[in-house]
Amino acid sequence: MKRITALLHAHRMSVHALEAAGERRLSVVQARGLLRASSAREQDYSVELGERVTQEIQLDVFCEDERVDAIVALIRQHGRTGQVNAGWIFTSSIDDVLLIDRADVPA
């Protein structure tokens, strides 16, 4: 199993595209980071960081190994901004998947 993490502009990725592709194990977190903003509306000033930051999302998708290429392609397709730095995609291996309420059943 794999975890795909994408850091992208907040209004670029549609989770509906992933859902239509059959992906249900995903998470979206609102974030602020240092991507180059595509408009002034995406930016605000962070007192904590002492600089302008861009509204981003962190998208995590958990999938079977054979689905990684298709999901990465979908994220790239929907995450494009036309800029050189539109975001990042990371993949990592998951060793175990456990259900919270059923220790006797593998997920």
PDB file of all heavy atoms in Angstrom, residues 52-75:
ATOM      1  N   ARG A  52       4.944  36.482   3.575  1.00  0.00           N
ATOM      2  CA  ARG A  52       3.694  36.153   2.887  1.00  0.00           C
ATOM      3  C   ARG A  52       3.642  34.648   2.640  1.00  0.00           C
ATOM      4  O   ARG A  52       4.651  34.038   2.315  1.00  0.00           O
ATOM      5  CB  ARG A  52       3.590  36.916   1.577  1.00  0.00           C
ATOM      6  CG  ARG A  52       3.513  38.430   1.811  1.00  0.00           C
ATOM      7  CD  ARG A  52       3.198  39.209   0.578  1.00  0.00           C
ATOM      8  NE  ARG A  52       1.833  39.115   0.106  1.00  0.00           N
ATOM      9  CZ  ARG A  52       0.747  39.595   0.712  1.00  0.00           C
ATOM     10  NH1 ARG A  52       0.856  40.191   1.855  1.00  0.00           N
ATOM     11  NH2 ARG A  52      -0.445  39.485   0.173  1.00  0.00           N
ATOM     12  N   VAL A  53       2.465  34.075   2.798  1.00  0.00           N
ATOM     13  CA  VAL A  53       2.272  32.652   2.562  1.00  0.00           C
ATOM     14  C   VAL A  53       1.094  32.463   1.616  1.00  0.00           C
ATOM     15  O   VAL A  53       0.257  33.337   1.460  1.00  0.00           O
ATOM     16  CB  VAL A  53       2.031  31.883   3.889  1.00  0.00           C
ATOM     17  CG1 VAL A  53       3.272  31.875   4.744  1.00  0.00           C
ATOM     18  CG2 VAL A  53       0.845  32.437   4.640  1.00  0.00           C
ATOM     19  N   THR A  54       1.064  31.302   0.993  1.00  0.00           N
ATOM     20  CA  THR A  54       0.018  30.977   0.026  1.00  0.00           C
ATOM     21  C   THR A  54      -0.927  29.948   0.621  1.00  0.00           C
ATOM     22  O   THR A  54      -0.494  29.021   1.304  1.00  0.00           O
ATOM     23  CB  THR A  54       0.655  30.396  -1.252  1.00  0.00           C
ATOM     24  OG1 THR A  54       1.577  31.350  -1.773  1.00  0.00           O
ATOM     25  CG2 THR A  54      -0.383  30.085  -2.310  1.00  0.00           C
ATOM     26  N   GLN A  55      -2.221  30.114   0.362  1.00  0.00           N
ATOM     27  CA  GLN A  55      -3.203  29.120   0.789  1.00  0.00           C
ATOM     28  C   GLN A  55      -3.001  27.862  -0.045  1.00  0.00           C
ATOM     29  O   GLN A  55      -2.992  27.919  -1.270  1.00  0.00           O
ATOM     30  CB  GLN A  55      -4.618  29.650   0.585  1.00  0.00           C
ATOM     31  CG  GLN A  55      -4.932  30.879   1.391  1.00  0.00           C
ATOM     32  CD  GLN A  55      -6.243  31.500   0.965  1.00  0.00           C
ATOM     33  OE1 GLN A  55      -7.105  30.843   0.409  1.00  0.00           O
ATOM     34  NE2 GLN A  55      -6.384  32.784   1.217  1.00  0.00           N
ATOM     35  N   GLU A  56      -2.800  26.740   0.633  1.00  0.00           N
ATOM     36  CA  GLU A  56      -2.549  25.469  -0.026  1.00  0.00           C
ATOM     37  C   GLU A  56      -3.437  24.391   0.595  1.00  0.00           C
ATOM     38  O   GLU A  56      -4.077  24.623   1.600  1.00  0.00           O
ATOM     39  CB  GLU A  56      -1.087  25.035   0.178  1.00  0.00           C
ATOM     40  CG  GLU A  56      -0.058  25.989  -0.336  1.00  0.00           C
ATOM     41  CD  GLU A  56       1.355  25.570   0.031  1.00  0.00           C
ATOM     42  OE1 GLU A  56       1.547  24.456   0.566  1.00  0.00           O
ATOM     43  OE2 GLU A  56       2.267  26.350  -0.214  1.00  0.00           O
ATOM     44  N   ILE A  57      -3.405  23.229  -0.029  1.00  0.00           N
ATOM     45  CA  ILE A  57      -3.980  22.046   0.599  1.00  0.00           C
ATOM     46  C   ILE A  57      -2.918  20.956   0.631  1.00  0.00           C
ATOM     47  O   ILE A  57      -2.018  20.922  -0.209  1.00  0.00           O
ATOM     48  CB  ILE A  57      -5.249  21.513  -0.117  1.00  0.00           C
ATOM     49  CG1 ILE A  57      -4.952  21.104  -1.551  1.00  0.00           C
ATOM     50  CG2 ILE A  57      -6.384  22.498  -0.025  1.00  0.00           C
ATOM     51  CD1 ILE A  57      -6.070  20.316  -2.195  1.00  0.00           C
ATOM     52  N   GLN A  58      -3.043  20.112   1.634  1.00  0.00           N
ATOM     53  CA  GLN A  58      -2.265  18.876   1.666  1.00  0.00           C
ATOM     54  C   GLN A  58      -3.268  17.770   1.419  1.00  0.00           C
ATOM     55  O   GLN A  58      -4.192  17.564   2.197  1.00  0.00           O
ATOM     56  CB  GLN A  58      -1.580  18.672   3.010  1.00  0.00           C
ATOM     57  CG  GLN A  58      -0.851  17.339   3.064  1.00  0.00           C
ATOM     58  CD  GLN A  58      -0.161  17.110   4.387  1.00  0.00           C
ATOM     59  OE1 GLN A  58       0.449  18.021   4.935  1.00  0.00           O
ATOM     60  NE2 GLN A  58      -0.257  15.887   4.887  1.00  0.00           N
ATOM     61  N   LEU A  59      -3.090  17.098   0.310  1.00  0.00           N
ATOM     62  CA  LEU A  59      -3.967  16.008  -0.088  1.00  0.00           C
ATOM     63  C   LEU A  59      -3.235  14.696   0.141  1.00  0.00           C
ATOM     64  O   LEU A  59      -2.122  14.522  -0.364  1.00  0.00           O
ATOM     65  CB  LEU A  59      -4.329  16.155  -1.574  1.00  0.00           C
ATOM     66  CG  LEU A  59      -5.064  14.997  -2.233  1.00  0.00           C
ATOM     67  CD1 LEU A  59      -6.460  14.858  -1.651  1.00  0.00           C
ATOM     68  CD2 LEU A  59      -5.119  15.202  -3.731  1.00  0.00           C
ATOM     69  N   ASP A  60      -3.820  13.816   0.915  1.00  0.00           N
ATOM     70  CA  ASP A  60      -3.255  12.484   1.140  1.00  0.00           C
ATOM     71  C   ASP A  60      -4.205  11.454   0.568  1.00  0.00           C
ATOM     72  O   ASP A  60      -5.398  11.463   0.869  1.00  0.00           O
ATOM     73  CB  ASP A  60      -3.067  12.209   2.632  1.00  0.00           C
ATOM     74  CG  ASP A  60      -1.949  13.021   3.232  1.00  0.00           C
ATOM     75  OD1 ASP A  60      -0.836  12.952   2.703  1.00  0.00           O
ATOM     76  OD2 ASP A  60      -2.191  13.727   4.230  1.00  0.00           O
ATOM     77  N   VAL A  61      -3.674  10.578  -0.272  1.00  0.00           N
ATOM     78  CA  VAL A  61      -4.444   9.473  -0.848  1.00  0.00           C
ATOM     79  C   VAL A  61      -3.727   8.180  -0.487  1.00  0.00           C
ATOM     80  O   VAL A  61      -2.513   8.072  -0.666  1.00  0.00           O
ATOM     81  CB  VAL A  61      -4.564   9.592  -2.386  1.00  0.00           C
ATOM     82  CG1 VAL A  61      -5.407   8.460  -2.949  1.00  0.00           C
ATOM     83  CG2 VAL A  61      -5.131  10.949  -2.792  1.00  0.00           C
ATOM     84  N   PHE A  62      -4.475   7.215   0.016  1.00  0.00           N
ATOM     85  CA  PHE A  62      -3.927   5.911   0.380  1.00  0.00           C
ATOM     86  C   PHE A  62      -4.478   4.896  -0.608  1.00  0.00           C
ATOM     87  O   PHE A  62      -5.694   4.789  -0.773  1.00  0.00           O
ATOM     88  CB  PHE A  62      -4.328   5.566   1.817  1.00  0.00           C
ATOM     89  CG  PHE A  62      -3.853   6.600   2.801  1.00  0.00           C
ATOM     90  CD1 PHE A  62      -4.627   7.698   3.102  1.00  0.00           C
ATOM     91  CD2 PHE A  62      -2.604   6.471   3.389  1.00  0.00           C
ATOM     92  CE1 PHE A  62      -4.171   8.672   3.990  1.00  0.00           C
ATOM     93  CE2 PHE A  62      -2.146   7.433   4.278  1.00  0.00           C
ATOM     94  CZ  PHE A  62      -2.932   8.533   4.586  1.00  0.00           C
ATOM     95  N   CYS A  63      -3.580   4.176  -1.289  1.00  0.00           N
ATOM     96  CA  CYS A  63      -4.028   3.304  -2.371  1.00  0.00           C
ATOM     97  C   CYS A  63      -3.141   2.077  -2.484  1.00  0.00           C
ATOM     98  O   CYS A  63      -2.062   2.002  -1.908  1.00  0.00           O
ATOM     99  CB  CYS A  63      -4.025   4.071  -3.683  1.00  0.00           C
ATOM    100  SG  CYS A  63      -2.371   4.560  -4.219  1.00  0.00           S
ATOM    101  N   GLU A  64      -3.609   1.136  -3.286  1.00  0.00           N
ATOM    102  CA  GLU A  64      -2.817  -0.049  -3.617  1.00  0.00           C
ATOM    103  C   GLU A  64      -1.666   0.376  -4.532  1.00  0.00           C
ATOM    104  O   GLU A  64      -1.780   1.345  -5.286  1.00  0.00           O
ATOM    105  CB  GLU A  64      -3.693  -1.098  -4.300  1.00  0.00           C
ATOM    106  CG  GLU A  64      -4.889  -1.547  -3.466  1.00  0.00           C
ATOM    107  CD  GLU A  64      -4.503  -2.062  -2.082  1.00  0.00           C
ATOM    108  OE1 GLU A  64      -3.459  -2.733  -1.956  1.00  0.00           O
ATOM    109  OE2 GLU A  64      -5.238  -1.775  -1.123  1.00  0.00           O
ATOM    110  N   ASP A  65      -0.566  -0.356  -4.477  1.00  0.00           N
ATOM    111  CA  ASP A  65       0.645  -0.004  -5.230  1.00  0.00           C
ATOM    112  C   ASP A  65       0.377   0.204  -6.725  1.00  0.00           C
ATOM    113  O   ASP A  65       0.914   1.127  -7.330  1.00  0.00           O
ATOM    114  CB  ASP A  65       1.718  -1.086  -5.063  1.00  0.00           C
ATOM    115  CG  ASP A  65       2.277  -1.159  -3.654  1.00  0.00           C
ATOM    116  OD1 ASP A  65       1.786  -0.441  -2.761  1.00  0.00           O
ATOM    117  OD2 ASP A  65       3.217  -1.940  -3.436  1.00  0.00           O
ATOM    118  N   GLU A  66      -0.459  -0.632  -7.303  1.00  0.00           N
ATOM    119  CA  GLU A  66      -0.687  -0.558  -8.754  1.00  0.00           C
ATOM    120  C   GLU A  66      -1.506   0.667  -9.179  1.00  0.00           C
ATOM    121  O   GLU A  66      -1.605   0.978 -10.358  1.00  0.00           O
ATOM    122  CB  GLU A  66      -1.342  -1.842  -9.277  1.00  0.00           C
ATOM    123  CG  GLU A  66      -2.680  -2.168  -8.679  1.00  0.00           C
ATOM    124  CD  GLU A  66      -2.606  -2.991  -7.393  1.00  0.00           C
ATOM    125  OE1 GLU A  66      -1.508  -3.274  -6.900  1.00  0.00           O
ATOM    126  OE2 GLU A  66      -3.678  -3.340  -6.879  1.00  0.00           O
ATOM    127  N   ARG A  67      -2.091   1.412  -8.237  1.00  0.00           N
ATOM    128  CA  ARG A  67      -2.897   2.594  -8.544  1.00  0.00           C
ATOM    129  C   ARG A  67      -2.086   3.900  -8.501  1.00  0.00           C
ATOM    130  O   ARG A  67      -2.592   4.954  -8.880  1.00  0.00           O
ATOM    131  CB  ARG A  67      -4.067   2.709  -7.547  1.00  0.00           C
ATOM    132  CG  ARG A  67      -5.061   1.588  -7.607  1.00  0.00           C
ATOM    133  CD  ARG A  67      -6.061   1.726  -8.737  1.00  0.00           C
ATOM    134  NE  ARG A  67      -6.786   2.977  -8.606  1.00  0.00           N
ATOM    135  CZ  ARG A  67      -7.070   3.780  -9.628  1.00  0.00           C
ATOM    136  NH1 ARG A  67      -6.723   3.448 -10.848  1.00  0.00           N
ATOM    137  NH2 ARG A  67      -7.708   4.909  -9.439  1.00  0.00           N
ATOM    138  N   VAL A  68      -0.836   3.833  -8.042  1.00  0.00           N
ATOM    139  CA  VAL A  68      -0.047   5.051  -7.823  1.00  0.00           C
ATOM    140  C   VAL A  68       0.089   5.887  -9.095  1.00  0.00           C
ATOM    141  O   VAL A  68      -0.174   7.090  -9.085  1.00  0.00           O
ATOM    142  CB  VAL A  68       1.343   4.715  -7.231  1.00  0.00           C
ATOM    143  CG1 VAL A  68       2.243   5.943  -7.239  1.00  0.00           C
ATOM    144  CG2 VAL A  68       1.193   4.170  -5.833  1.00  0.00           C
ATOM    145  N   ASP A  69       0.500   5.291 -10.202  1.00  0.00           N
ATOM    146  CA  ASP A  69       0.730   6.055 -11.433  1.00  0.00           C
ATOM    147  C   ASP A  69      -0.539   6.763 -11.909  1.00  0.00           C
ATOM    148  O   ASP A  69      -0.489   7.929 -12.317  1.00  0.00           O
ATOM    149  CB  ASP A  69       1.274   5.153 -12.543  1.00  0.00           C
ATOM    150  CG  ASP A  69       2.692   4.669 -12.263  1.00  0.00           C
ATOM    151  OD1 ASP A  69       3.386   5.300 -11.438  1.00  0.00           O
ATOM    152  OD2 ASP A  69       3.094   3.652 -12.860  1.00  0.00           O
ATOM    153  N   ALA A  70      -1.676   6.079 -11.845  1.00  0.00           N
ATOM    154  CA  ALA A  70      -2.936   6.685 -12.291  1.00  0.00           C
ATOM    155  C   ALA A  70      -3.345   7.843 -11.386  1.00  0.00           C
ATOM    156  O   ALA A  70      -3.809   8.887 -11.871  1.00  0.00           O
ATOM    157  CB  ALA A  70      -4.041   5.627 -12.327  1.00  0.00           C
ATOM    158  N   ILE A  71      -3.151   7.687 -10.083  1.00  0.00           N
ATOM    159  CA  ILE A  71      -3.531   8.751  -9.149  1.00  0.00           C
ATOM    160  C   ILE A  71      -2.603   9.949  -9.288  1.00  0.00           C
ATOM    161  O   ILE A  71      -3.054  11.096  -9.295  1.00  0.00           O
ATOM    162  CB  ILE A  71      -3.560   8.215  -7.706  1.00  0.00           C
ATOM    163  CG1 ILE A  71      -4.691   7.195  -7.568  1.00  0.00           C
ATOM    164  CG2 ILE A  71      -3.731   9.353  -6.699  1.00  0.00           C
ATOM    165  CD1 ILE A  71      -4.655   6.401  -6.291  1.00  0.00           C
ATOM    166  N   VAL A  72      -1.306   9.706  -9.422  1.00  0.00           N
ATOM    167  CA  VAL A  72      -0.357  10.803  -9.628  1.00  0.00           C
ATOM    168  C   VAL A  72      -0.701  11.554 -10.909  1.00  0.00           C
ATOM    169  O   VAL A  72      -0.686  12.796 -10.941  1.00  0.00           O
ATOM    170  CB  VAL A  72       1.099  10.286  -9.636  1.00  0.00           C
ATOM    171  CG1 VAL A  72       2.061  11.345 -10.166  1.00  0.00           C
ATOM    172  CG2 VAL A  72       1.508   9.842  -8.240  1.00  0.00           C
ATOM    173  N   ALA A  73      -1.041  10.843 -11.974  1.00  0.00           N
ATOM    174  CA  ALA A  73      -1.427  11.490 -13.230  1.00  0.00           C
ATOM    175  C   ALA A  73      -2.672  12.351 -13.047  1.00  0.00           C
ATOM    176  O   ALA A  73      -2.752  13.472 -13.568  1.00  0.00           O
ATOM    177  CB  ALA A  73      -1.658  10.441 -14.319  1.00  0.00           C
ATOM    178  N   LEU A  74      -3.633  11.872 -12.292  1.00  0.00           N
ATOM    179  CA  LEU A  74      -4.870  12.621 -12.025  1.00  0.00           C
ATOM    180  C   LEU A  74      -4.579  13.878 -11.207  1.00  0.00           C
ATOM    181  O   LEU A  74      -5.099  14.959 -11.514  1.00  0.00           O
ATOM    182  CB  LEU A  74      -5.857  11.716 -11.287  1.00  0.00           C
ATOM    183  CG  LEU A  74      -7.300  12.152 -11.217  1.00  0.00           C
ATOM    184  CD1 LEU A  74      -7.895  12.313 -12.608  1.00  0.00           C
ATOM    185  CD2 LEU A  74      -8.097  11.131 -10.430  1.00  0.00           C
ATOM    186  N   ILE A  75      -3.734  13.761 -10.193  1.00  0.00           N
ATOM    187  CA  ILE A  75      -3.362  14.928  -9.386  1.00  0.00           C
ATOM    188  C   ILE A  75      -2.628  15.952 -10.248  1.00  0.00           C
ATOM    189  O   ILE A  75      -2.903  17.153 -10.177  1.00  0.00           O
ATOM    190  CB  ILE A  75      -2.504  14.512  -8.174  1.00  0.00           C
ATOM    191  CG1 ILE A  75      -3.348  13.690  -7.191  1.00  0.00           C
ATOM    192  CG2 ILE A  75      -1.911  15.742  -7.484  1.00  0.00           C
ATOM    193  CD1 ILE A  75      -2.551  13.022  -6.089  1.00  0.00           C
TER     194      ILE A  75
END
